[in-house]
Each structure stands twice: as C-alpha cells, then as structure tokens.
Amino acid sequence: MPNSEKFRLGKRSPKRSLHSDATETLTTKARLATWRQKAIAKHWRLAVSAVCMTLAAGAVSLDIGLVNLWERQVQSLFFEVRGPVESPDNIVILAIDEESLSQGQHYAADPTRLAYLKPIESWPWQRRAYAQVIERLMDAGAQAVAIDVLFIADSSYGDADDEAFAEVLSRHSERIVLAADYSPQVRQYGVLSEPSLPIPLLEETGVHIGSINFRKEPNEQIHRLGQEFLRELALYDGSADSVEAAAVASETSFEDDGYIAPEAPPLSFAQATLKAANISYPEAPRENIFFHGPRETFKQVPFWQVIDDDLWRNHLRSGAAFKDKIVIIGTTAAVRRDFHEAPFSQSMQYPYPMAGVEILANTIATLEKDLSPRRLVKNSGVNAIAVLSLGMAIALLAHQTQKPVRRALIIGGGIGAWTVISYGAFVAAQTILMTGTPVMALALMGLLDFGLGFGADRLKRNRLRTTLARYATSPLVQEIISQQDDFQDLLALNRADIIGTVLRDRYQILEVLGAGGFGETYRSKDTQRPGNPVCVVKQLKIVSDNPKSHHLARRLFEAEAVVLGELGEHDQIPRLLAYFEVQQTFYLVQEMIKGDLLRDVLSRSRPLSQKAVANMLRDLLPVIRFVHSRGVIHRDIKPSNIIRRKHDGRYVLIDFGAVKTISNKLNEADETRLTSTVGIGTQGYMPSEQSAGMPTIRSDIYALGITAIEALTGKPPHALKRSDDGEIIWSHTVDDMSPTLSKIINKMVRFDFNNRYENSDRVIEDLSRLDDEQLTDCSSMPNNDYPINAGETLNQGTRPGVIDTNSALENTQILPENWINDAKTCEEPPSEEVSDEA
C-alpha cells in the first residue's frame, strides 16, 4: 500500500474513535428519552385519534344514553332525508278532530233538525256515538275497528249508555279493539305495570285489548313498537317468577294487596288490531317503527261525517270508503293534547308534532308489511369493536400525511362514506348500522386533530416570529420575512423604528422608499448642509459573518464606490455624495433625482410615439457609452431604472446595483472585451449571454432596445412574440412604423450578440441618419407638469447588494472634489471577487 494511502487511513482512524466515544456517552436512558421525543413528535396525532375512538368504543360497549341519543337522532334524520312514502291504503283514521268536536255548537243552535248530533254534543261523547259508528262501519264491511280512547270509568251519561255500547261490542267483538294503558305505577313493593283496562262491562264483551304505550328514547322521540314497551316490563308482567322476585325484594306479599297477575301477556295496540282484522304478522320480535311520513300521511276522515246521514250516504257512499279497511278511531284535535315527538315531527322541515293515533297507524302498517328497521348488530361489544376498527382505519390513513388539508379530507371523506353506507342500508334494506357514535367520534377526532395541529403550528410560528423579530436586521432573516405574508408587519415595525434615525450624525432617515432581501433604500436629509437637502441613502447589508471576508468586502465596497463616483461625473447619472459603514452594514449616499420613472409613464399613458422613442434613444445612448468607457456594464437597463428628469426632461440612468469593476483592463483597441462572471439582470430585458453569466456591452444595447420596443408597443417583454430562431416580432403591431427606426431597433435586439451593434457609437451613428420628419408623432411624451408619483426615484442609484464582511469603517467618507484622480491610483481589488448579486 502506498504511503499516501496509509497516511489517509491514519488520519481517518482518530475520527472514528472520536465518533465512537461520542456515541458511548449516550446512556440507555438518554437514548430512550430521545426516541420518546421523536415518537411523540411524529405520532401524537395518531395517539389523540386512538384516544377518541377508544372512548367512543367504550361508550358503545357500556350502552350509555348519549350513544342511544345520537343513534336515534341519526335515524330520525334518515327518515326525513328519505322523505314521505305512500302509506298502505287499507288503514284509515277516523279522526276526532276540531271539526267533529265543534258539532255540539251546531246541535245547540238547532237541536230538532240536528238531533243526530246529540251523542257528540259535548266531550266526553256519549258511548252511543261510538256504538253507532261501529255499526255503520261493520255494515260497510270494515275489516276491524280499533278505538284509541280509554274507557276506564263508567259513562257519565248513565248505565244505559254503557249497556248500549257493550251490546254493540258483543255482536262485533272479534273485530273490535279497545285501548288499555300500561303506564308504570309506583307501588309500595316497587314499580309495577298495573294496566288501566276498559271497565269490566266492556272487557267482558270479548273484544281485543291492546296497549297504547310506547317507550320514549333519549331524544324524547318514539321509535320503538308498542310490544317493546311491554317487553321491557317483563319483570313485572305478573309471572310467578316476577311476583316472587318482587315480593322478596319488598318483603310484602302481592296477595295481601289483592294483585292478580294476568293469565296471558298483553298485546300491543298494533298486535291486537291485526289480530282483530285476522291478519298475520311476524311472531319474531320486531323493534322499530317504520314511519311512512309526517302527520296526515294516512287517510283521515272526520268522525262526525259517519254520524251525519247525508254525508254518510253521499260523501262516504254509504261507507264504501271503509270496505275491507282497518279503521282507527282517535283524536287529532289540538285541544285533546295527544301529540308526541317522533321522526317527521318538531324538526326544521317538519315542525308539527304527531298525533298518537297516527303513530298507532304507523305501527300497524309496520307489523302488517314487516317493515320494521332491524339493527344489524345488537351486541354492544361487537358494535364497540366495529366502531374502534373503523375509527382507527381512518386515523391510520390520515396519519400517512402531515398536511392539514389532506388529513381533513380523509377524515371528512370517512365520515361521508360511512354516512352514505348507513343511509343506503337504512333506506334500501331497513337495516340499522351504528352511525351516530362513529360519526361523532370521527368528527371529534378531526376537530381535535385540526385544533391541536393548528395550535401547535401557531405556537411554532409564534416562536419563529419571536426569533425573526429578534434578528430582523439580518439580511437573511429579512429575505425570509419578505416571502411570508403574515410576517410582513415585522418589516414594517422594523422600518418604523428606522424613521428618524440619524446615520453618522448627519443623514436623517425620512422615509423607507424600498426594501429587498439584502438592503433598503431611504429618503434622507443631510443635516450638515445648508437647507438640509434631500438625498438617497442605499443600505447594503452583509450576509456572511466570516471575519476573513471583511477585508475583501471592504475593498469591493470601496471599489464600487470609486466606480459610482466616476459614473456620477455624467450629468445623467446620480452623483455619489458619500459612503460609510455602520454596524457591519454599508451605506451609499447619492443625489436625489426628481422626475418620473419611465415605467410609470408607460403605465399611465399610451405607447410613446416613434419620434419620442428615437429622442429617448439619442438621449440614453451617450450615457451608456460613458458607462462602458469606464469599464462598466450596467446589466439592468429597463423602464423602472430610467427617470425622466423633471426640470429639463432629460433621461437619467439609475440603479447600478449590478455594477462590478471589470477585472480585465480595457483593451484600447477593442472595448468589447470587457468581461464579467455573474449573470445579473431582469428576465425579459436580459439577453441569453447575460443569463449565462457572460454579459458584454452589447447586452446593455439589447436591454435598451427591448425598452424601446416596450415604449412603442405598450407590451412588456414577456408578451412579445418570437420567431423560431429567437428574434422578436413586433413592428407589425405599430401603425406606420418607420422601416429605418425598426431596422435600428431590430439590430439592437438580435438574439445572437454577434449580430448586434458593436457599441453605442454605431447605434448613435445610425440614429443620426434617421429622418425625424418620417417619424410619426401621434402620441406625445407626458409633459413636465405631471406630479411626482409616491414611488418615483424609488430605485435610483445602486440597489441593495450582497457583501460579505464583518467589520466597520471608521468614518463617513465624504468625497473631495479631486477624489477621482486619487481613486485611480488606488490598488485594484483582488481577482477573486465576491458576487454583489441582489
């Protein structure tokens, strides 16, 4: 092995041992703490989601009331979203409505003519009225008659009234149903379901008796069939085991209280009605009511119309409307207050409650057609596992991304998908899937995920904001702030603090004219000159804190100041008044030029005339020739860097932020050999060789030509069309375009720089031969009366650049009158220049 290889290996070995030693200092406890911190940072959202879904699954397994509340609310919503469906035509409600209850008033007005209304003269009605109606309905061929009215006390009209009613019931007992109330009663030995049955005289007729009771859900609505109410009371249904258990619990004998358990379990009103109509229904337990729609979904006929002979014969066609029908007699009048909360009631879309007789009609139809919605899974433990599995699947899917919008879409999509699946199963197959709890759990999970994530992000941003505010004077920090909309106020606050600051006890800042990532421009006044004249102060912030770069940066800064001072000799370039450094930041003080930026002139007026553009070229080309003669390429000529001076209307070239001293000395024989290494400029105005970092003096000629085309056409460079070989196609868009002027400008902007003018003198020479009489003057240049824009001269002078340094100049350098001659003897800066790209 060569010695060099041995040397390199020998140099690497100590590094490995150092790294090994550093690793060995991490104890197991430290490694565990580091792993825990990383795990928390990466998986805390998943942990929160897991906690939410675990709590939801626990609530489902315990079958708490809140779970039932959500599920019943969702079922009500599904019913209402589905909307009303057609009710069975074999069920008719004979309604004790307001119209029927008001017939007593008509009878009182003419008792002789309206004698048939006497049985319903006042509430409670005579039981003869019910007997009369039953007779007519049975004669008309009704399948069954179910009366949703309690007859638990003797008639107030005497025994004859009860006997007349009982006689009719006896003759049609197999097809008659009377109501019973099985509401729980509190007894000394516990809670019992002691029924309120019809009086013995009526019960002994052999009619069917059905319970009109329903169990209310946690949302105060009726959802379950009547037999579910009876099933829940099975502990107190009178069986021997129930009686013994209750007696032991209370140490009281039921026989002592005279309680006798019924021999057979009671039926619900719906079961009793279908039995009376001789219609079979499922013997297997059914739980939920299938609601067909809101109130008046089932056909209703006012009770009194059956009593009125004329209406019975003509309107009801002697009872043809009741043939083969199940007739339910019950109250729908508001005064009777037999109304309950249920689906299709007391909601935004269906604000009215549902009458008890209409709920009974829905239960009868549910059992007859076997439409009862069934729970797919009744076991709470299995439901809990399903909820946990669904929630964690969505949580894991959301955990694959950290983007809040995607996470919200995934969770929201999971909620929507499960809701759609549940709704489809409910409507199409009368199958109930657990929906409310998983949806609420997922919604809570999404809210917590968003809320905690938003809070964490805000905390991070607040910390970042605090850090940025602390270092707001740093150029790199200002570059970060400038790209964050919600941090812009930090720059404003920083600038506000600057207003009034006096630099070097002389230049007081009046206004921040502009700012970039690496510096700012101020309008200032010179407090040490008579009249306190206004000037422009350019701030050039440093980027690097490397002390070794300071001396090179200082020389570059001084060299640029020398160049700017030389350029300022020209009347159409702002003069450099001073330069200095404060706290690692360089400042240039330049003359303030009052006038209009060409950019603003073009934006507020029509395109310039050909004569105006030719005059602009004649005015600016000597300026560019002067710049090039000093070994400088401007590299950023454009409308926003040209000012039309107010007092004489001449054009001033500003913003030499891309200026660099040229490392190669001028070749007196060929001044096109100027070189540079940094591609600086503005897209559209910058030719291809400049974009590649190899600008020449022909690059400035190209930029001035593009500016002329923009002034003539009113179109920015990006809107101009180009041919296949890269040449700009524009002259056809200008009316009566002078061929000579078009040829000059086209040669200025040729894609290949070898085909452009060699220098400014060649362009000036061709322009001198241009006949101004042939140029149109249909659009004139704005006159000197234009007010100065708020942003005028905003970028004049050297724009903020980047200089690496870490020291300060001792004093402000005020340039003497003969400083140029002295500067020419200064030492040239070293060749390894630092880029001043802004």
Side-chain angles (χ1 to χ4, degrees):
M1 178 181 296
N3 292 335
S4 60
E5 291 294 326
K6 291 181 180 179
F7 175 78
R8 284 197 292 270
L9 288 177
K11 296 296 285 183
R12 278 199 285 261
S13 297
K15 292 183 180 179
R16 286 203 304 269
S17 63
L18 287 173
H19 285 297
S20 177
D21 294 342
T23 304
E24 290 173 359
T25 61
L26 293 176
T27 64
T28 303
K29 183 177 181 180
R31 292 178 182 177
L32 183 61
T34 303
W35 175 87
R36 185 169 61 249
Q37 291 174 356
K38 291 181 179 179
I40 291 174
K42 185 176 181 181
H43 302 295
W44 67 267
R45 282 190 172 94
L46 183 61
V48 171
S49 301
V51 170
C52 287
M53 299 315 301
T54 301
L55 292 175
V60 171
S61 65
L62 296 175
D63 198 21
I64 64 175
L66 189 61
V67 171
N68 293 327
L69 171 65
W70 290 338
E71 297 306 318
R72 293 303 183 183
Q73 286 291 91
V74 169
Q75 290 166 28
S76 296
L77 179 62
F78 283 175
F79 273 123
E80 296 183 7
V81 171
R82 181 210 66 193
V85 296
E86 186 178 359
S87 62
D89 59 2
N90 68 325
I91 299 176
V92 179
I93 296 176
L94 195 58
I96 303 174
D97 56 2
E98 284 84 355
E99 186 179 358
S100 299
L101 291 173
S102 66
Q103 294 305 309
Q105 300 174 7
H106 300 291
Y107 171 77
D110 191 355
T112 302
R113 188 173 64 86
L114 302 177
Y116 62 88
L117 295 178
K118 182 174 178 55
I120 59 172
E121 177 184 5
S122 62
W123 187 265
W125 290 338
Q126 295 182 26
R127 290 174 185 174
R128 296 176 189 272
Y130 300 104
Q132 182 181 350
V133 167
I134 290 173
E135 284 285 9
R136 286 193 167 181
L137 292 175
M138 290 302 174
D139 292 342
Q143 235 180 336
V145 177
I147 306 176
D148 181 23
V149 178
L150 291 174
F151 302 106
I152 59 176
D154 295 337
S155 173
S156 59
Y157 297 95
D159 294 341
D161 188 40
D162 282 331
E163 290 171 359
F165 186 34
E167 192 274 330
V168 173
L169 294 181
S170 297
R171 284 190 286 111
H172 305 288
S173 60
E174 290 300 320
R175 292 191 290 168
I176 304 297
V177 178
L178 296 182
D181 183 5
Y182 281 80
S183 298
Q185 302 291 328
V186 179
R187 302 291 294 273
Q188 61 180 357
Y189 36 75
V191 179
L192 295 179
S193 180
E194 183 175 353
S196 298
L197 300 173
I199 60 175
L201 178 62
L202 303 182
E203 187 177 3
E204 291 169 0
T205 61
V207 295
H208 301 279
I209 297 177
S211 167
I212 58 172
N213 303 104
F214 296 90
R215 177 69 69 191
K216 285 191 174 183
E217 305 302 327
N219 65 346
E220 296 299 319
Q221 292 183 349
I222 293 174
H223 278 269
R224 286 184 283 177
L225 292 163
Q227 54 262 40
E228 282 296 297
F229 172 85
L230 297 173
R231 185 183 64 80
E232 289 188 359
L233 296 179
L235 182 61
Y236 309 103
D237 64 1
S239 65
D241 293 341
S242 300
V243 173
E244 182 180 355
V248 170
S250 62
E251 298 182 356
T252 303
S253 173
F254 276 50
E255 287 76 4
D256 294 342
D257 197 75
Y259 181 82
I260 301 176
E263 295 181 358
L267 299 176
S268 69
F269 195 84
Q271 289 173 315
T273 301
L274 291 176
K275 187 175 180 181
N278 198 24
I279 297 175
S280 61
Y281 59 87
E283 293 296 334
R286 294 293 185 265
E287 181 181 3
N288 298 293
I289 304 173
F290 180 89
F291 285 91
H292 291 76
R295 66 176 189 166
E296 300 181 3
T297 298
F298 288 83
K299 181 179 179 181
Q300 296 186 16
V301 177
F303 185 93
W304 77 278
Q305 292 183 4
V306 179
I307 296 178
D308 188 299
D309 293 336
D310 185 57
L311 289 175
W312 175 258
R313 286 192 304 270
N314 300 313
H315 181 65
L316 300 178
R317 295 173 295 153
S318 299
F322 301 103
K323 183 176 177 57
D324 297 325
K325 301 292 195 294
I326 296 175
V327 183
I328 311 172
I329 301 174
T331 179
T332 60
V335 69
R336 303 313 313 154
R337 300 181 181 178
D338 185 20
F339 293 90
H340 308 275
E341 295 184 32
F344 292 107
S345 70
Q346 295 187 309
S347 63
M348 185 176 297
Q349 188 174 0
Y350 302 98
Y352 301 104
M354 189 175 293
V357 68
E358 293 181 294
I359 295 177
L360 291 172
N362 278 286
T363 62
I364 294 170
T366 299
L367 281 184
E368 180 188 4
K369 304 299 183 181
D370 195 17
L371 296 175
S372 176
R374 303 172 180 84
R375 286 185 294 171
L376 182 64
V377 180
K378 295 184 178 181
N379 186 283
S380 59
V382 176
N383 276 324
I385 295 174
V387 169
L388 183 61
S389 301
L390 172 67
M392 290 309 299
I394 295 176
L396 287 171
L397 189 61
H399 186 61
Q400 301 304 311
T401 178
Q402 295 298 318
K403 294 184 177 180
V405 175
R406 290 187 180 179
R407 295 176 65 85
L409 288 175
I410 291 172
I411 297 174
I415 293 174
W418 186 247
T419 301
V420 170
I421 292 172
S422 299
Y423 175 75
F426 184 83
V427 173
Q430 284 78 54
T431 300
I432 299 174
L433 302 177
M434 179 158 283
T435 307
T437 302
V439 164
M440 292 296 292
L442 288 174
L444 178 62
M445 180 178 77
L447 288 174
L448 286 176
D449 181 271
F450 175 79
L452 294 175
F454 179 79
D457 289 343
R458 295 304 302 174
L459 182 60
K460 289 180 181 179
R461 293 191 72 81
N462 286 338
R463 290 176 179 173
L464 176 61
R465 182 184 180 86
T466 302
T467 302
L468 293 177
R470 184 179 303 169
Y471 301 102
T473 56
S474 168
L476 289 178
V477 172
Q478 289 200 355
E479 180 68 17
I480 296 173
I481 293 175
S482 65
Q483 299 181 21
Q484 299 291 329
D485 292 338
D486 50 347
F487 291 155
Q488 292 299 311
D489 61 309
L490 294 179
L491 288 177
L493 291 173
N494 184 53
R495 293 171 187 170
D497 293 338
I498 293 175
I499 302 300
T501 301
V502 179
L503 300 173
R504 285 300 181 186
D505 297 325
R506 178 167 184 173
Y507 302 101
Q508 184 179 13
I509 297 176
L510 303 176
E511 180 186 358
V512 179
L513 296 178
F518 301 99
E520 294 178 338
T521 305
Y522 311 118
R523 184 169 66 88
S524 308
K525 67 178 179 180
D526 190 342
T527 60
Q528 295 184 10
R529 290 178 61 189
N532 296 332
V534 176
C535 56
V536 175
V537 175
K538 294 282 187 175
Q539 176 200 67
L540 295 87
K541 290 189 176 180
I542 63 171
V543 172
S544 174
D545 290 332
N546 185 0
K548 295 181 180 180
S549 303
H550 174 70
H551 298 293
L552 174 61
R554 178 188 291 179
R555 285 198 296 270
L556 286 172
F557 176 65
E558 292 177 346
E560 287 201 19
V562 169
V563 172
L564 290 174
E566 291 180 351
L567 295 178
E569 285 185 310
H570 197 285
D571 179 59
Q572 291 169 262
I573 295 176
R575 289 184 298 118
L576 180 67
L577 304 177
Y579 67 94
F580 54 89
E581 181 182 359
V582 176
Q583 295 181 355
Q584 303 178 356
T585 302
F586 297 97
Y587 294 90
L588 296 171
V589 183
Q590 289 183 293
E591 173 189 10
M592 181 86 171
I593 305 297
K594 294 184 179 181
D596 293 324
L597 288 174
L598 180 59
R599 176 194 62 195
D600 297 331
V601 172
L602 295 178
S603 65
R604 73 189 179 195
S605 67
R606 295 175 296 169
L608 302 185
S609 68
Q610 297 178 39
K611 184 175 293 186
V613 170
N615 290 334
M616 179 185 72
L617 292 176
R618 291 190 183 105
D619 204 16
L620 284 174
L621 282 166
V623 182
I624 295 175
R625 177 177 60 188
F626 174 78
V627 171
H628 293 167
S629 68
R630 293 298 188 270
V632 173
I633 303 173
H634 188 287
R635 289 188 291 177
D636 201 17
I637 297 175
K638 58 185 177 181
S640 59
N641 286 338
I642 298 173
I643 293 179
R644 186 170 185 265
R645 197 158 50 197
K646 186 175 182 180
H647 74 273
D648 60 2
R650 303 202 67 182
Y651 292 96
V652 176
L653 189 60
I654 64 171
D655 202 342
F656 285 77
V659 169
K660 291 175 60 70
T661 54
I662 308 303
S663 58
N664 294 336
K665 294 182 178 181
L666 286 174
N667 187 316
E668 296 179 355
D670 184 5
E671 61 183 0
T672 62
R673 296 180 58 185
L674 300 174
T675 61
S676 183
T677 59
V678 181
I680 301 173
T682 302
Q683 289 296 328
Y685 302 93
M686 182 168 51
S688 57
E689 74 276 4
Q690 185 176 337
S691 300
M694 296 180 293
T696 69
I697 60 175
R698 302 186 189 192
S699 302
D700 282 348
I701 295 174
Y702 176 93
L704 183 60
I706 293 293
T707 301
I709 292 175
E710 182 176 354
L712 286 167
T713 63
K715 297 179 180 179
H718 64 80
L720 299 174
K721 294 184 179 180
R722 292 180 179 269
S723 64
D724 294 339
D725 55 359
E727 304 298 343
I728 299 174
I729 304 173
W730 64 276
S731 58
H732 67 285
T733 64
V734 180
D735 294 337
D736 299 326
M737 183 64 203
S738 166
T740 305
L741 180 59
S742 173
K743 182 178 179 181
I744 293 173
I745 295 176
N746 280 333
K747 190 172 181 181
M748 294 175 69
V749 297
R750 293 296 297 270
F751 181 79
D752 186 350
F753 69 90
N754 292 308
N755 296 327
R756 290 184 216 137
Y757 284 105
E758 297 176 353
N759 50 51
S760 302
D761 288 335
R762 299 289 187 267
V763 189
I764 294 172
E765 182 179 344
D766 284 353
L767 283 172
S768 66
R769 292 194 293 267
L770 184 64
D771 185 2
D772 285 1
E773 298 297 328
Q774 298 179 355
L775 302 179
T776 62
D777 197 15
C778 59
S779 177
S780 60
M781 195 69 181
N783 58 40
N784 293 335
D785 295 332
Y786 272 119
I788 300 176
N789 290 347
E792 72 177 3
T793 71
L794 179 67
N795 297 313
Q796 64 177 311
T798 302
R799 66 184 172 189
V802 181
I803 297 181
D804 295 317
T805 186
N806 195 23
S807 66
L809 297 175
E810 292 295 332
N811 300 305
T812 301
Q813 304 296 314
I814 305 299
L815 303 179
E817 293 183 359
N818 63 342
W819 76 277
I820 294 178
N821 295 327
D822 296 338
K824 291 181 180 179
T825 63
C826 293
E827 180 185 359
E828 289 283 294
S831 59
E832 51 268 40
E833 295 178 344
V834 179
S835 170
D836 64 349
E837 182 178 3

